């Protein structure tokens, strides 16, 4: 069976973990953590980068930093992973779900302004499949209404919007290194801060509400409890693993893009014939080949393709049951429909995508359908 995802190991992971163990400091915020954080700051232009134990955790830090309280409203796309909403729900927010574009699962920027009320505090955008949202429009709406913009860039490492790295545009952003993402550490994430106002507090929240990071830099002579927070930082063992991945980031991206381009070229005629749409990348965005998906003409057609591929030992999967239609949220939801989000729930299909993928094999199996 060709799996949908296979975590790629660069070969240096265990060597760096061994090194971290030998260095004798295996809790968080050590040498490997700093190396990773410096890399992200230098490469992508974040003001401050903090490794976290997951993207979910990084989103929780954003909700705390944004001072989200009971009664505050946060605008979030419905077509996303649970964590995007969960982090804000835990702080007591009311979620206002936004629809996708009809030809792109990202939040429809032209529909955001109508959702803003006097209680709205933040807009959380998700760069689905690593493809940028319309950030100029979103940032100018936020500025007009004095709102924070948080980028859920879990899938968006190395992607750009008009030449600028995703994650460096909003006030804060989050990334994931879960084993299904482009670079991985098993579980793992990153908080990127781009607004000076949040840098110091982010470090405190990260370290259980203490000013320990300042203490270790010698900026204060004792440390203690100064704010809310949690243990959001990963151990050096995780950071050492991630460093091996970072060292191979360019190679990983090159390989994934090769697969992506093969899919796009080889499936063109087949998709036309079956009334299926392939991914399209807006002019303002670049492609990081996090994912290759197709939009089937119906839910029924999608089921048939999944079945066909399974019979040919290829695993293709779909995801995101629109969050507004989830059992957890349904009770609170106003009953409005989000047509495009629901359409992607029913018709989007993801094809296998990972470093060691035999894309020729998968394509040949797909072309056997119909
Ligand atoms: C993967 C993902 C997350 C969660 O990341 P974790 O590191 O597993 O917490 C959140 N949002 C989106 C859009 C994702 O794809």
């Amino acid at each position: 069976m060709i799996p949908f995802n296979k975590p790629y190991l660069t070969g240096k992971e265990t060597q760096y973990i061994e090194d971290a163990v030998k260095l004798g400091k295996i809790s968080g915020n050590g040498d490997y953590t700093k190396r990773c954080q410096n890399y992200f700051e230098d490469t992508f232009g974040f003001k401050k980068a903090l490794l976290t134990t997951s993207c979910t955790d990084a989103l929780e830090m954003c909700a705390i930093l944004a001072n989200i309280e009971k009664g505050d409203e946060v605008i979030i796309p419905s077509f996303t992973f649970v964590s995007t909403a969960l982090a804000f729900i835990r702080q007591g927010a009311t979620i206002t779900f936004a629809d996708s574009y009809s030809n792109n699962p990202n939040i429809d920027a032209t529909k955001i302004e109508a959702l803003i009320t006097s209680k709205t505090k933040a807009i959380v955008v998700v760069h689905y499949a690593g493809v940028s949202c319309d950030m100029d429009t979103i940032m100018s709406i936020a500025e007009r209404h004095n709102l924070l913009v948080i980028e859920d860039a879990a899938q968006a490492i190395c992607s750009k919007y008009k030449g600028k790295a995703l994650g460096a545009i909003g006030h804060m952003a989050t990334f994931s290194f879960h084993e299904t993402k482009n670079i991985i550490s098993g579980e793992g994430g990153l908080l990127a801060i781009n607004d000076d106002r949040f840098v110091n507090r982010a470090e405190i929240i990260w370290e259980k509400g203490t000013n320990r990071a300042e203490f270790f830099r010698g900026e204060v002579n004792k440390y203690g409890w100064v704010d809310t927070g949690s243990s959001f930082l990963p151990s050096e063992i995780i950071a050492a693993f991630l460093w091996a991945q970072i060292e191979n980031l360019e190679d990983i991206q090159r390989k994934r893009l090769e697969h992506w381009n093969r899919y796009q070229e080889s499936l063109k005629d087949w998709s036309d014939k079956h009334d299926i749409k392939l991914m399209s990348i807006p002019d303002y965005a670049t492609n990081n080949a996090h994912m290759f998906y197709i939009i089937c003409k119906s839910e029924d057609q999608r089921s048939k393709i999944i079945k066909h591929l399974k019979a040919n030992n290829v695993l293709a999967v779909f995801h995101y049951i629109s969050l507004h239609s989830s059992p957890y949220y349904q009770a609170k939801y106003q009953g409005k429909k989000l047509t495009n989000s629901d359409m992607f729930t029913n018709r989007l299909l993801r094809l296998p995508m990972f470093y060691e993928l035999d894309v020729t094999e998968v394509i040949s199996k797909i072309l056997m359908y119909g």
Side-chain angles (χ1 to χ4, degrees):
M1 192 67 131
I2 295 182
F4 167 69
N5 177 61
K6 180 167 179 260
Y8 171 62
L9 300 178
T10 69
K12 288 271 188 77
E13 286 82 359
T14 44
Q15 184 187 321
Y16 290 161
I17 288 172
E18 202 178 324
D19 183 45
V21 172
K22 281 185 183 150
L23 284 171
K25 184 195 183 296
I26 53 173
S27 61
N29 202 9
D31 284 0
Y32 277 102
T33 297
K34 289 187 184 107
R35 246 192 251 186
C36 295
Q37 290 178 175
N38 289 340
Y39 172 84
F40 290 123
E41 287 166 10
D42 296 345
T43 309
F44 301 118
F46 312 140
K47 286 233 169 86
K48 182 78 197 167
L50 293 172
L51 292 192
T52 58
T53 51
S54 66
C55 178
T56 306
D57 263 6
L59 285 161
E60 285 179 16
M61 288 184 71
C62 290
I64 296 170
L65 285 165
N67 267 326
I68 300 296
E69 291 166 0
K70 195 165 166 47
D72 290 340
E73 292 177 8
V74 178
I75 296 170
I76 292 178
S78 182
F79 193 77
T80 183
F81 188 61
V82 184
S83 299
T84 318
L86 198 57
F88 297 88
I89 289 268
R90 291 183 84 240
Q91 287 294 116
T94 301
I95 306 295
T96 305
F97 283 119
D99 206 358
S100 306
Y101 292 105
S102 60
N103 62 350
N104 174 337
N106 281 339
I107 190 166
D108 182 344
T110 65
K111 291 185 190 149
I112 292 175
E113 205 148 24
L115 304 175
I116 295 172
T117 74
S118 59
K119 292 180 182 165
T120 308
K121 265 209 175 154
I123 305 168
V124 186
V125 301
V126 179
H127 304 299
Y128 181 76
V131 178
S132 181
C133 297
D134 180 0
M135 292 311 290
D136 278 349
T137 305
I138 291 162
M139 293 310 290
S140 75
I141 291 169
E143 202 172 318
R144 256 198 319 279
H145 296 272
N146 196 22
L147 306 175
L148 292 173
V149 173
I150 296 154
E151 299 174 71
D152 180 344
Q155 306 174 4
I157 193 98
C158 292
S159 269
K160 289 180 176 172
Y161 171 80
K162 295 186 179 173
K164 194 157 191 201
L166 297 189
I169 301 167
H171 299 86
M172 319 171 206
T174 64
F175 291 86
S176 174
F177 307 121
H178 184 263
E179 70 167 29
T180 52
K181 305 301 201 279
N182 289 26
I183 56 167
I184 61 175
S185 60
E187 303 280 354
L190 177 78
L191 172 67
I193 303 279
N194 302 311
D195 184 324
D196 288 326
R197 286 177 297 169
F198 301 115
V199 171
N200 284 340
R201 191 162 183 236
E203 245 180 14
I204 290 166
I205 289 166
W206 189 58
E207 276 267 34
K208 304 106 185 157
T210 72
N211 55 348
R212 190 167 161 178
E214 273 178 303
F215 173 72
F216 280 128
R217 282 197 299 266
E219 293 166 13
V220 289
N221 57 16
K222 60 179 189 310
Y223 79 87
W225 184 13
V226 294
D227 204 335
T228 186
S230 189
S231 184
F232 285 117
L233 71 174
S235 85
E236 279 288 289
I237 294 170
I238 300 278
F241 190 112
L242 183 62
W243 183 248
Q245 296 270 316
I246 288 174
E247 279 190 336
N248 287 274
L249 180 54
E250 271 180 40
D251 177 52
I252 290 169
Q253 289 305 97
R254 183 189 49 76
K255 194 79 173 176
R256 295 183 76 108
L257 274 164
E258 255 175 50
H259 297 333
W260 197 97
N261 288 327
R262 283 287 310 286
Y263 271 137
Q264 190 79 352
E265 287 152 21
S266 310
L267 298 180
K268 177 86 187 67
D269 293 344
W270 174 83
S271 62
D272 286 345
K273 181 178 153 201
H274 292 283
D275 208 6
I276 288 168
K277 290 196 189 77
L278 301 182
M279 269 178 82
S280 70
I281 314 283
D283 289 340
Y284 53 65
T286 61
N287 176 22
N288 73 345
H290 171 61
M291 194 190 289
F292 190 90
Y293 66 78
I294 62 175
I295 308 298
C296 298
K297 88 176 163 196
S298 65
E299 195 172 357
D300 179 55
Q301 184 193 48
R302 181 174 72 178
S303 305
K304 285 180 178 144
I305 294 173
I306 292 172
K307 208 172 146 201
H308 161 83
L309 290 177
K310 207 171 211 170
N312 285 281
N313 292 320
V314 174
L315 206 59
V317 301
F318 59 83
H319 72 166
Y320 300 160
I321 311 298
S322 295
L323 294 183
H324 72 266
S325 62
S326 63
Y328 182 80
Y329 195 75
Q330 236 168 13
K332 307 169 193 175
Y333 186 60
Q334 309 302 310
K336 277 176 266 166
K337 264 193 145 27
L338 296 177
T339 316
N340 297 329
S341 181
D342 288 334
M343 181 271 288
F344 289 117
T345 293
N346 295 330
R347 288 164 43 188
L348 184 142
L349 182 62
R350 305 166 68 191
L351 302 178
M353 175 57 85
F354 52 90
Y355 188 97
E356 292 156 289
L357 175 68
D358 183 347
V359 70
T360 308
E361 172 85 1
V362 177
I363 288 166
S364 77
K365 298 294 164 59
I366 293 171
L367 295 179
M368 283 161 56
Y369 174 84

